[in-house]
Amino acid sequence: MYANVLVEIGAKSVDREFVYYVPEELKAQIQIGIRVKVNFGKQTIEGFVLSLFENYQDNLNLKPIIDVIDTEPILNEEMLLLGKQIKETTLCSLISAYQAMLPKALKASIHTNINIKKDKYLIINQDDQTIKKYIEHCHYPKQKELLEKIKQNKELKITRIDSAIKTLIKHDLVKIIAKEAYRFQAKEDPHYHEVKLNNDQQKVVDAVKDNIDKPITYLLYGVTGSGKTEVYMEIINYVLTLNKTAIMLVPEISLTPQIVGRFVNRFHNNIAILHSGLSASERYDEYRKIKRGEVKIVIGARSAIFAPLDNLGIIIIDEEHTSTYKQDNHPRYNAKDVAILRSKYHQCPVLLGSATPSLESFAKAGNHVYKLLTLPKRANNKPLPHVNIVDMKQEVKKGHFILSQELQDQIQKRLDRHEQIILLLNRRGYSSMITCRNCGHVIKCPNCDISLTYHKTSDNLRCHYCGYTQKRPHICPECGHEETKDFGLGTERLEEEIKNKFKSRVIRMDLDTTNKKGAHEKIIEDFGNHKYDILLGTQMIAKGLDFPLVTLVGVINADTTLNIPDFRSSEKTFQLLCQVSGRAGRSDNPGEVIIQTYNPEHYSIQYAKNHDYLGFYKEEMQIRKKLGYSPYYYITLVKIYAKDYQLGFEHANKIGNYLRKNVDKTTIILGPTMAPIFKINNIYNYQCIIKYRKDQKLKQTLINLDNIYKTENKINVEIDVNPSRL
Ligand code: ADP
Ligand code: ZN
């Protein structure tokens, strides 16, 4: 017997398939999709068995498979196929696609201290008669009680071995066994109560139920607070009655403990959670629950799309517009595309949900590629909050640099009424730039083409790209002048301002306050229990939160996302403003939103003010059409990285010319240009943007380009098909 084995060699994840022969003694264990150890050159490495066959001509020089690693395949037929499809569509290596599907614990190249937790249990070690007799004659109540308990429950979990247990073991009446334990347990949402679906919700549920065995992709466009979570749960409930399974993706699970909590209320321990906040060992626990068929529902972020569930009945992707569904590094897959591939395999629907669908998805719904479902109103019939736009150009003249008069007044009002407030500022740190008052010198990262951010809490300057830190200098490194000036407002500064201006309990949520395990959940739980009046933070506070006491949402500076050099910056701004506005007035008290901006007339801000998704969609589509961007054109980004500036420049030009020569005439090649952030971590970043509608040659051209540069050491080329940002 022979096996085709896919191995990974070197850091560049170059795919290599080789034939090995299967020695007699391993024949019983070997299967397709299992991992094996093989010799490659002088090393022993791991690989996946992709196929097995009996006849092979050249069987003299073949090496044997050394060992079989798993007891059962870790990649089933579906996953093996899926990997090939991902390779086809994203131009990644096959090995990297397979590795993306598996938890860290199963990755060959990573040797972490992943362990399986074992709990100790006592079980009976004698026949009933003996036990009965012992209980009758025993004088020690503790021992009797123990035996009774074990008899009743068949087993008893113990954490320590006391003298009573010791005695029972000595007499051979009981023995200790070890059983695998799972560490992580998601918490219920204590504020949740079950509801009866309203008509709109029921219609959506029925539409999906009616075609539950067809691979249809639905786009659920439901305004904030329209009760999408209830719809998801109802559909999943139905799928379970058919004895099928479900995956639900959320953008970043540690930010949405409320949604998870509601699922736990309803489905108890029938759920596995794949959470970036879990340790690798905990993730492995969750993975084993899924693999063993002990749970039917998986909730998780992007990579949970690979959850090895059999018999999928529905795949739900909440907040489908979120860019985190696209992986930013190799393999650059999009979980939405993978979901659709899996739905075809399992013949089940995909449900994409959002209050602000991505332009691509809404356009597909318009072309009937997706089927559109809508929830036009809030579930409790409350209106969407009133949105006020404040022109900061005027406020600055009055000396209000951070909080406008209007926002200050409204905050005070809410504090007086014991209501809660959410403030969004999409920039962390204290100030985003330090400059010299004399010469104007800006303190920049020595490794990156970006200014350093001042963090007051730790009193240092930090690079948000490479992590470089330094002390804040007291004199200008350029001219020696002693005065520096802070520019650009961050969340730390906002927190300080709030503390100075108001007597209130305030909590900040950003990357810096949430790097400890469980910190997100704690902040959200405490805010939900009204331990704080004001929650302020970066975009991580914008999504999914449902707090009845929040009646005011303030956006400190709507322009932070607007100024990002990306064709999606208006869309991102509109989405963020709608999402965060949607946190206000979700219960009995009406909500109010105040958006501070230096661009009050900008269309993305105006449409957000009116909660007018369709208006925004139409205007933005016209702009995309005019400029030739997605969804009218497909986009592929070719990134060129080099340590050497000149060499990078030369190769970027070569690549630009190569592309121009080898694509269809209708395809547009932009660049090469410097990437928006030109230097990161001492690497220079160039890029070419490829815009096309249909191109017969392009794919092969990109594959060729990739092959040329795979072996190149000084230049790195990455191809990003349908990038989430430029
Ligand atoms: P979305 O995800 O669409 O923003 P949620 O699912 O969080 O909305 O629901 C918003 C609020 O409305 C929640 O507090 C939820 O409990 C409530 N809700 C949902 N459906 C109903 C219903 N049919 N009747 C009453 N309240 C509902
Ligand atoms: Zn840096």
Side-chain angles (χ1 to χ4, degrees), residues 298-312:
V298 173
I299 306 179
R302 180 179 58 230
S303 65
I305 195 59
F306 296 117
L309 286 167
D310 293 326
N311 210 6
L312 269 175

Side-chain angles (χ1 to χ4, degrees), residues 192-193 195-198 201 222-232 259 262 318-319 375 378-380 544-546 582-583 586:
Y192 176 77
H193 4 240
V195 297
K196 194 177 168 320
L197 295 190
N198 63 34
Q201 287 170 315
V223 299
T224 54
S226 57
K228 293 187 285 294
T229 313
E230 292 293 333
V231 167
Y232 301 154
I259 292 188
R262 287 170 194 184
D318 191 28
E319 313 273 13
L375 291 172
R378 282 193 157 175
N380 53 9
L545 300 180
D546 187 29
R583 303 310 111 210
R586 291 168 77 91

Side-chain angles (χ1 to χ4, degrees), residues 517-721:
K517 207 177 162 192
H520 288 115
E521 288 88 339
K522 178 97 177 70
I523 292 174
I524 288 167
E525 194 179 315
D526 286 350
F527 190 66
N529 290 327
H530 206 176
K531 285 191 187 160
Y532 297 99
D533 306 302
I534 302 178
L535 170 66
L536 69 86
T538 50
Q539 97 259 332
M540 58 171 75
I541 62 169
K543 281 192 196 103
L545 300 180
D546 187 29
F547 299 114
L549 277 180
V550 173
T551 57
L552 176 65
V553 165
V555 179
I556 304 305
N557 183 356
D559 311 312
T560 47
T561 40
L562 216 46
N563 294 331
I564 295 168
D566 186 330
F567 73 91
R568 290 197 180 91
S569 66
S570 297
E571 183 182 3
K572 297 239 166 86
T573 304
F574 176 79
Q575 285 165 344
L576 183 63
L577 294 177
C578 289
Q579 291 292 333
V580 71
S581 301
R583 303 310 111 210
R586 291 168 77 91
S587 191
D588 297 336
N589 304 321
E592 173 111 28
V593 180
I594 293 174
I595 297 176
Q596 302 188 153
T597 172
Y598 289 88
N599 297 288
E601 297 307 324
H602 195 280
Y603 66 102
S604 62
I605 292 173
Q606 285 297 326
Y607 285 117
K609 170 185 161 71
N610 298 321
H611 308 288
D612 184 3
Y613 175 79
L614 288 178
F616 175 77
Y617 173 79
K618 281 188 195 134
E619 182 150 355
E620 182 68 10
M621 283 295 271
Q622 276 175 4
I623 294 171
R624 299 281 176 93
K625 190 173 182 181
K626 216 185 282 162
L627 299 181
Y629 277 112
S630 157
Y632 287 97
Y633 278 77
Y634 291 111
I635 302 219
T636 291
L637 191 61
V638 176
K639 304 186 188 193
I640 303 120
Y641 305 109
K643 249 202 163 87
D644 185 305
Y645 174 92
Q646 188 59 30
L647 195 70
F649 180 75
E650 284 163 19
H651 279 270
N653 276 314
K654 256 196 205 166
I655 289 168
N657 291 335
Y658 177 79
L659 289 172
R660 279 190 186 87
K661 273 200 203 111
N662 292 288
V663 294
D664 279 352
K665 273 199 210 79
T666 50
T667 296
I668 300 162
I669 311 281
L670 299 179
T673 57
M674 295 171 174
I677 296 169
F678 181 45
K679 191 175 84 172
I680 298 176
N681 226 343
N682 288 315
I683 306 278
Y684 294 95
N685 294 243
Y686 298 85
Q687 64 184 30
C688 289
I689 296 169
I690 307 170
K691 301 204 275 188
Y692 58 102
R693 290 219 203 213
K694 229 187 204 143
D695 190 326
Q696 304 291 339
K697 291 191 206 153
L698 179 62
K699 191 167 161 196
Q700 194 53 48
T701 298
L702 291 172
I703 292 172
N704 295 346
L705 182 69
D706 192 40
N707 284 336
I708 295 168
Y709 280 95
K710 251 178 195 162
T711 48
E712 180 71 56
N713 282 326
K714 290 186 172 147
I715 304 284
N716 217 334
V717 170
E718 293 246 7
I719 295 162
D720 192 349
V721 182

Side-chain angles (χ1 to χ4, degrees), residues 445-448 450 452 463-468 681:
C445 175
N447 311 319
C448 306
I450 199 114
L452 293 173
C463 173
H464 286 182
Y465 280 81
C466 74
Y468 169 87
N681 226 343

Side-chain angles (χ1 to χ4, degrees), residues 439-490:
C439 73
H441 173 71
V442 176
I443 301 184
K444 283 191 164 183
C445 175
N447 311 319
C448 306
D449 185 20
I450 199 114
S451 58
L452 293 173
T453 300
Y454 177 52
H455 287 253
K456 198 171 186 179
T457 322
S458 48
D459 192 28
N460 59 13
L461 301 177
R462 285 193 229 159
C463 173
H464 286 182
Y465 280 81
C466 74
Y468 169 87
T469 56
Q470 68 169 63
K471 278 251 151 289
R472 183 174 177 149
H474 294 292
I475 56 167
C476 171
E478 252 334 268
C479 72
H481 186 75
E482 285 187 5
E483 263 182 300
T484 52
K485 193 171 158 49
D486 291 53
F487 276 106
L489 171 67

Side-chain angles (χ1 to χ4, degrees), residues 493-507:
R493 177 87 193 279
L494 175 63
E495 184 182 15
E496 187 180 275
E497 178 82 1
I498 296 286
K499 283 182 171 159
N500 288 339
K501 281 227 154 73
F502 302 98
K503 224 179 129 268
S504 69
R505 301 165 300 169
V506 48
I507 180 93

